[in-house]
């Protein structure tokens, strides 16, 4: 009997002829089934972990591909940027005559005025000025006389002739107090602008007298701009002086220079040349004591680029003479030997 009960409990059956009530029945434990369930559960966990690992690996591979792609693009960018920068440096080094213009400065060209001494048949010294025109001793004496009568008006200011720091021009307000200019030019300026107005042209004076500190501020501003681009201070200063005249070397400090624009075009560039009002000024300004200070095709003489808006007062006598000869102020100075 005991044996039968043990077998009944072990193998889960009831011997023949015997029945069990619901209360006597015990849960049947299947050892094999339990092992199978455990293994299936383990397999599912392993599969889930492997799937997650594959997703993580895929993400890492994607990130690495993106990083490699970004590195390649950066290398290409810096490579092309370096090539472009190198080309720009070479172009800037070999090409002369920059186009940059400042409302408060002058453009700088290159070259030297040529005065070649010769001896004529009578043994007198002669000279060829600028375009090759011959200068006789009589012409030189005539120029020296004009200079003696108008010395204060014929003041030459450029890189080779720096204005004295003690120079103090006598100024007066113009343009309803917006600007100041040398008092000596005021009457002729009014007469010139009135004549231009009668001819149908209106003008805007963009700049007149500038003191040394103002000019220095222009230089400092450009130096900071170049230093922000990576230039050293010395290189930035040298680059700035290619375009903006240093303090003490600008004609505007004399009060005798004016930047005059046509009211129909207030842009300070070479487009002024095409304005009828500017053409009238260039043709008639010498009658009122003014000259176009930096004319076209004279850049190698003045060392300043063509500025159709920059007019300089030298007095009526000197202006008429320079217009007749077609000379710049630098050429006049070479003739008088100053």
């Amino acid at each position: 009997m005991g044996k039968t009960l043990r077998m009944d409990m072990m193998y889960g059956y009831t011997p023949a002829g015997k029945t069990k009530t619901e209360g006597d029945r015990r849960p049947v434990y299947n050892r094999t089934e339990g092992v199978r369930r455990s293994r299936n559960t383990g397999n599912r966990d392993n599969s889930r972990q492997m799937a997650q690992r594959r997703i993580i690996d895929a993400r890492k591979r994607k990130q690495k591909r993106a990083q490699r792609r970004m590195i390649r693009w950066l290398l290409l960018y810096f490579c092309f940027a370096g090539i472009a920068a190198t080309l720009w440096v070479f172009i800037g080094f070999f090409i002369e005559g920059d186009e940059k213009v400042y409302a408060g400065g002058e453009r700088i060209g290159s070259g030297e005025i040529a005065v070649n001494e010769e001896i004529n048949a009578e043994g007198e010294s002669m000279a060829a000025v600028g375009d090759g025109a011959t200068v006789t001793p009589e012409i030189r004496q005539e120029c020296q006389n004009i200079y003696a009568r108008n010395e204060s008006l014929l003041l030459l200011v450029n890189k080779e002739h720096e204005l004295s720091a003690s120079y103090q021009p006598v100024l007066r307000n113009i343009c309803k107090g917006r600007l100041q200019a040398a008092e000596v030019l005021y009457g002729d300026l009014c007469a010139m602008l009135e004549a231009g107005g009668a001819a149908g042209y209106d003008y805007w004076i963009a700049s007149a007298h500038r003191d040394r500190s103002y000019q220095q501020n222009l230089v400092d501003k450009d130096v900071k701009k170049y230093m922000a681009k990576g230039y050293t201070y010395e290189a930035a200063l040298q680059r700035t002086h290619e375009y903006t005249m240093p303090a003490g070397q600008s004609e505007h400090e004399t009060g005798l220079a004016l930047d005059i624009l046509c009211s129909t075009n207030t842009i300070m560039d070479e487009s002024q040349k095409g304005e009828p009002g500017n053409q009238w000024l260039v043709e008639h300004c010498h009658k009122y004591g003014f000259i176009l200070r930096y004319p076209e095709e004279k850049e190698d003489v003045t060392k300043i680029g063509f500025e159709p808006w920059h007019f300089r007062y030298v007095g009526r006598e000197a202006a008429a003479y320079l217009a007749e000869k077609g000379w710049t102020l630098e050429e006049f100075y070479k003739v008088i030997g100053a």
Side-chain angles (χ1 to χ4, degrees):
M1 179 66 179
K3 184 175 182 183
T4 302
L5 288 174
R6 284 194 298 272
M7 291 178 64
D8 182 16
M9 293 173 63
M10 183 178 298
Y11 297 104
Y13 71 92
T14 303
K18 292 188 178 182
T19 61
K20 288 187 177 181
T21 64
E22 289 297 326
D24 294 333
R25 293 179 182 174
R26 300 180 181 177
V28 178
Y29 173 71
N30 191 317
R31 185 182 301 171
T32 305
E33 185 66 23
V35 172
R36 189 179 295 118
R37 286 200 193 98
S38 176
R39 289 177 177 174
N40 291 338
T41 302
N43 290 336
R44 283 196 299 271
D45 293 341
N46 289 337
S47 298
R48 190 178 298 111
Q49 292 176 359
M50 292 178 65
Q52 291 177 349
R53 196 175 301 116
R54 283 195 295 271
I55 292 172
I56 293 172
D57 291 343
R59 289 176 180 172
K60 289 182 178 179
R61 287 194 296 271
K62 187 176 181 180
Q63 290 176 352
K64 288 182 178 179
R65 285 196 298 270
Q67 291 173 354
R68 287 196 293 270
R69 196 179 304 116
M70 183 180 294
I71 291 172
R72 283 197 297 270
W73 278 111
L74 286 174
L75 289 174
L76 287 172
Y77 170 80
F78 285 114
C79 180
F80 283 113
I83 294 173
T86 302
L87 289 174
W88 180 260
V89 170
F90 276 102
I91 291 172
F93 182 78
F94 288 106
I95 295 180
E96 296 179 353
D98 291 301
E99 294 292 330
K100 189 171 182 181
V101 178
Y102 286 88
E106 294 87 8
R107 296 183 307 171
I108 298 179
S110 61
E112 294 289 342
I113 182 172
V115 178
N116 301 316
E117 294 292 335
E118 298 178 358
I119 303 297
N120 63 10
E122 288 75 24
E124 297 174 319
S125 175
M126 302 172 64
V129 179
D131 56 4
T134 301
V135 177
T136 64
E138 290 77 16
I139 292 176
R140 176 172 289 161
Q141 185 61 51
E142 187 177 11
C143 290
Q144 289 173 343
N145 293 338
I146 292 174
Y147 177 78
R149 291 190 292 268
N150 303 276
E151 182 175 353
S152 62
L153 300 178
L154 289 168
L155 183 64
L156 179 62
V157 181
N158 57 25
K159 276 197 165 185
E160 287 72 35
H161 298 80
E162 185 169 333
L163 191 65
S164 170
S166 61
Y167 182 83
Q168 293 293 333
V170 179
L171 303 172
R172 69 162 296 161
N173 292 336
I174 62 172
C175 302
K176 298 181 179 180
R178 180 172 57 85
L179 299 172
Q180 286 189 313
E183 185 174 25
V184 67
L185 64 76
Y186 183 75
D188 282 334
L189 174 63
C190 291
M192 182 174 69
L193 295 181
E194 288 175 4
Y201 307 114
D202 292 323
Y203 300 99
W204 169 263
I205 301 179
S207 181
H209 173 259
R210 296 198 301 265
D211 60 27
R212 187 169 294 225
S213 62
Y214 185 97
Q215 191 72 21
Q216 186 61 48
N217 285 336
L218 291 176
V219 173
D220 293 341
K221 186 184 297 183
D222 282 353
V223 168
K224 290 180 181 178
K225 180 185 69 176
Y226 284 116
M227 290 181 69
K229 293 181 179 181
Y231 286 76
T232 64
Y233 174 79
E234 291 75 13
L237 187 62
Q238 182 178 0
R239 184 68 172 166
T240 296
H241 285 169
E242 292 178 7
Y243 305 110
T244 304
M245 298 295 285
Q249 298 175 11
S250 172
E251 276 199 332
H252 283 280
E253 295 179 39
T254 66
L256 298 170
L258 302 171
D259 292 332
I260 306 177
L261 307 176
C262 296
S263 295
T264 54
N265 177 10
T266 56
I267 300 175
M268 191 176 290
D269 61 15
E270 292 187 12
S271 65
Q272 290 292 323
K273 176 186 175 182
E275 295 291 332
N278 179 266
Q279 294 167 5
W280 186 92
L281 277 181
V282 173
E283 183 179 354
H284 296 89
C285 67
H286 67 277
K287 300 175 184 178
Y288 306 93
F290 289 87
I291 60 172
L292 182 64
R293 182 64 180 88
Y294 305 118
E296 196 170 15
E297 298 179 358
K298 290 282 189 174
E299 291 92 341
D300 59 335
V301 175
T302 63
K303 300 182 183 178
I304 303 293
F306 173 45
E307 293 188 356
W309 61 86
H310 187 106
F311 293 88
R312 163 68 188 273
Y313 188 74
V314 294
R316 295 197 179 200
E317 181 185 19
Y321 190 83
L322 291 175
E324 177 189 346
K325 296 294 185 182
W327 291 346
T328 64
L329 200 52
E330 280 81 7
E331 290 168 315
F332 179 82
Y333 261 67
K334 288 293 183 181
V335 172
I336 65 176

